[in-house]
Amino acid sequence: MVRGLSAQLTVLKLGGSVITDKEKPLTPNLAAIERLAKEISRANVSPLVLVHGGGSFGHPVAEQYGLSEGYKDSSQIMGFSITHQVMTKLNKLIVGSLINHNIPAVEVQPSSCVVTKAGRIQSMEDRPLRKMFEMGFVPVLYGDVVFDSENGFAILSGDQLVSSLAMNLDARRIVVGVDVNGLYTGDPKTDSLARLIRHITLEELKNLEPLIEGSKVTDVTGGMLGKMFELKPAVEHGIQTIIVNAAEPNRVYKALKGEKVVGTVIER
Ligand code: IP8
């Protein structure tokens, strides 16, 4: 529970594959952003924190400069700046759309408040966030390049942020919006026999892991497998986690409201 608040926090992740066109560099999916802002506004859940992914903004640039292995040479310095800059551009579109729908959204830059150690969050200044919740703001964070105490810099995925925020702020629910209906027994985009899993425990997830596909397009933080790896600690912590298709109208709305919805519920 966030101190001073009577309700528990909801953490919403909007996948980069939904809010951007992952096949076309630096191309937002403005229609999806607009629809999702409307759904979030209609759901009227508070307190709420939003985290979005990089999609065709952060990932191709981070890959071009080889940022995922940390600092190797000075040619990457500009790459860090550009990756961060494109992420802020995407973030502005999301925040702008939320504000247009009357949500008091505020950008929070991970690169300015998180330090990682070998890619894992080592410290995060969360006092501004706590104050924002207390005052009714909706902070909007994103996967970002951040400074790393061992490797100079690192790529911090939105999923690692989601899990860490949810645990530190004792969230009630995590809603993860992706571009498929949830977790499948294979890759639903290429395998017609892949079956949607409506409910899974951590124990069952362990057996399924060899079947879960990594993402096919450029995703420097590991696609669906990476997502599961990051979400597990939050689920272990007892936080209800649901993966839904954010590309389908009303799924995010229903998940935020705690209504029955097509998706995958992951539980301890
Ligand atoms: O899309 C990665 O965030 P994600 C962000 O949540 C960058 O994995 C900078 C590639």
Side-chain angles (χ1 to χ4, degrees), residues 169-185:
L169 301 167
D170 216 6
R172 176 181 53 143
R173 179 180 298 136
I174 296 175
V175 176
V176 182
V178 293
D179 66 344
V180 288
N181 287 340
L183 200 55
Y184 281 80
T185 53

Side-chain angles (χ1 to χ4, degrees), residues 13 16 22 51-55 57-60 62 83 87 142-145 155-159 219-222 227:
K13 164 89 195 283
K22 263 196 137 175
V51 178
H52 66 79
F57 282 69
H59 287 280
T83 305
M87 285 309 301
Y142 44 94
D144 199 3
V145 274
I155 293 171
L156 173 64
S157 74
D159 295 318
D219 189 335
V220 289
T221 50
K227 199 173 287 305

